[in-house]
């Protein structure tokens, strides 16, 4: 009986917490965002996504040091969190911190102090290797937003901070609108091929000595119903992040095979 109860308690603990750091895990943190944060308190909530470049971290420091840093970040977040605030480990080196502040300037001051402390006192990171903990922060002003959406915006804001070499960044309405558009188009990439919106073109290659066509490059364009004709630079990254890029590859390959079949096969090389 006691052994069963202890095992049950251990399993229950694993459902809610990250075993190594003692912080809430991603699943339970999502539950908190959706079920435990009241509508009335959302406008004073700020969600910070705290992370760093995991590939660079492992390249310069190794797995053991990365885990040591994760423990330090967890300890610092726990010490920083006030009553009614929550911390979670989202994955190996990404964390979430839900804090409550009545005034935006107080929220920014707290985030500034947190990021400075994380980078100055960890005893692990060396500035020569350009690995730095950063934060992307989203002010949860929209009553109806679900937890996954709040996490996504904070994560994207963190990514912007990293790209622009900023210690932290607060999401703006323009950034949120751009993220809404980006996320929506990501979801539309797979359906675009089924709907015939991906157009197939051949860009011919001409031999300048003979002025004859000697080959062709298969290219694509997206005839988007809202955005108009999109160039590859507008949707390739979308498809890569949505894991639908292989669908585009197969689509272009199939179109090319059909075109070669119409031409009677691959011409002999001379």
């Amino acid at each position: 009986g006691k052994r069963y109860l202890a095992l049950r308690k251990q399993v229950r603990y694993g459902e809610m917490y990250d075993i190594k750091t003692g912080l809430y895990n991603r699943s339970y943190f999502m539950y908190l965002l959706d079920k435990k944060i009241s509508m009335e308190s959302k406008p004073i909530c700020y969600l910070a996504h705290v992370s760093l470049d995991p590939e660079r971290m492992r390249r310069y420091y190794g797995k053991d040091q990365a885990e040591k840093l994760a423990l330090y970040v967890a300890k610092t977040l726990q010490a920083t969190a006030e009553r009614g605030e929550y911390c979670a480990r989202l994955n190996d080196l990404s964390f979430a911190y839900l804090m409550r502040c009545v005034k935006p300037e107080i929220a920014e001051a707290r985030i500034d102090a947190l990021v400075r402390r994380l980078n100055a006192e960890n005893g692990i990171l060396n500035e020569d290797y350009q690995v730095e903990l950063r934060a992307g922060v989203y002010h949860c002003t929209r009553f109806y937003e679900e937890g996954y959406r709040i996490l996504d915006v904070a994560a994207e804001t963190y990514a912007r901070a990293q790209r622009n070499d900023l210690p932290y960044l607060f999401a703006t309405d323009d950034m949120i609108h751009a993220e809404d558009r980006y996320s929506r188009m990501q979801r539309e990439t797979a359906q675009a091929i089924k709907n015939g919106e991906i157009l197939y073109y051949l860009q011919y290659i001409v031999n300048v000595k003979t002025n004859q066509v000697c080959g062709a490059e298969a290219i694509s364009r997206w005839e988007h119903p809202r955005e108009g004709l999109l160039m590859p630079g507008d949707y390739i990254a979308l498809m890569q992040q949505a894991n639908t890029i292989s669908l585009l590859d197969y689509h272009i390959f199939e179109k090319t095979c059909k075109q070669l079949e119409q031409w009677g096969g691959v011409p002999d090389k001379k």
Side-chain angles (χ1 to χ4, degrees):
K2 291 184 178 180
R3 185 177 179 183
Y4 169 76
L5 291 175
L7 181 60
R8 184 178 178 182
K9 184 177 181 180
Q10 184 178 358
V11 170
R12 178 60 177 166
Y13 185 89
E15 291 175 348
M16 297 173 58
Y17 297 95
D18 174 67
I19 301 298
K20 292 184 178 180
T21 63
L23 298 182
Y24 289 127
N25 58 32
R26 184 186 184 94
S27 297
Y28 192 73
F29 189 72
M30 291 280 287
Y31 168 77
L32 290 174
L33 289 177
D34 287 331
K35 304 297 183 183
K36 293 294 185 179
I37 308 301
S38 67
M39 290 291 188
E40 293 76 16
S41 65
K42 268 194 175 182
I44 64 170
C45 289
Y46 292 79
L47 179 66
H49 180 103
V50 179
S51 188
L52 47 67
D53 185 338
E55 292 184 6
R56 187 179 288 270
M57 178 66 195
R58 294 190 180 92
R59 184 189 313 154
Y60 292 125
Y61 295 96
K63 185 177 179 180
D64 291 342
Q65 289 293 81
E67 193 61 31
K68 185 178 178 181
L69 180 63
L71 293 173
Y72 169 77
V73 173
K75 183 179 179 180
T76 303
L77 289 176
Q78 288 173 321
T80 303
E82 299 179 357
R83 184 177 180 181
E85 298 182 341
Y86 304 101
C87 309
R89 187 182 190 181
L90 303 176
N91 55 42
D92 288 350
L93 291 170
S94 293
F95 300 82
Y97 173 35
L98 186 73
M99 65 180 188
R100 300 171 186 263
C101 294
V102 176
K103 296 181 179 180
E105 56 268 26
I106 296 177
E108 183 166 0
R110 290 185 62 188
I111 289 296
D112 181 78
L114 172 64
V115 173
R116 289 177 183 273
R117 181 178 177 184
L118 286 173
N119 286 296
E121 301 176 14
N122 58 70
I124 299 172
L125 297 179
N126 184 331
E127 61 182 13
D128 294 338
Y129 293 144
Q130 297 181 344
V131 179
E132 185 177 353
L133 285 153
R134 306 175 192 274
V137 188
Y138 176 50
H139 187 190
C140 311
T141 55
R142 302 182 184 183
F143 295 103
Y144 57 86
E145 283 185 313
E146 296 181 346
Y148 80 90
R149 172 62 183 155
I150 296 172
L151 278 176
D152 284 348
V153 175
E156 175 58 27
T157 306
Y158 157 78
R160 285 173 178 261
Q162 186 181 50
R163 289 195 297 269
N164 292 281
D165 196 25
L166 299 171
Y168 60 87
L169 183 65
F170 280 70
T172 63
D173 288 340
D174 289 341
M175 289 167 53
I176 294 169
H177 177 73
E179 174 62 14
D180 285 341
R181 174 178 174 271
Y182 194 83
S183 298
R184 183 174 62 248
M185 290 181 66
Q186 270 189 322
R187 295 192 297 269
E188 294 170 343
T189 54
Q191 200 63 35
I193 296 175
K194 295 180 181 179
N195 293 343
E197 297 169 11
I198 301 298
L199 307 180
Y200 173 82
Y201 294 98
L202 289 175
Q203 186 168 281
Y204 291 107
I205 301 171
V206 177
N207 187 322
V208 295
K209 294 182 180 179
T210 63
N211 288 327
Q212 292 183 336
V213 174
C214 59
E217 178 186 4
I219 59 177
S220 66
R221 301 288 185 267
W222 184 359
E223 188 70 69
H224 196 281
R226 291 189 315 275
E227 306 287 338
L229 188 65
L230 300 178
M231 304 296 285
D234 296 321
Y235 58 85
I236 294 298
L238 284 170
M239 290 186 160
Q240 289 174 333
Q241 293 188 17
N243 293 321
T244 55
I245 190 68
S246 60
L247 298 178
L248 176 64
D249 293 337
Y250 287 130
H251 176 70
I252 297 302
F253 183 72
E254 182 181 18
K255 288 283 189 180
T256 301
C257 290
K258 289 182 178 179
Q259 184 63 68
L260 288 172
E261 186 179 18
Q262 291 179 3
W263 287 341
V266 180
D268 296 331
K269 294 183 179 181
K270 295 182 180 180

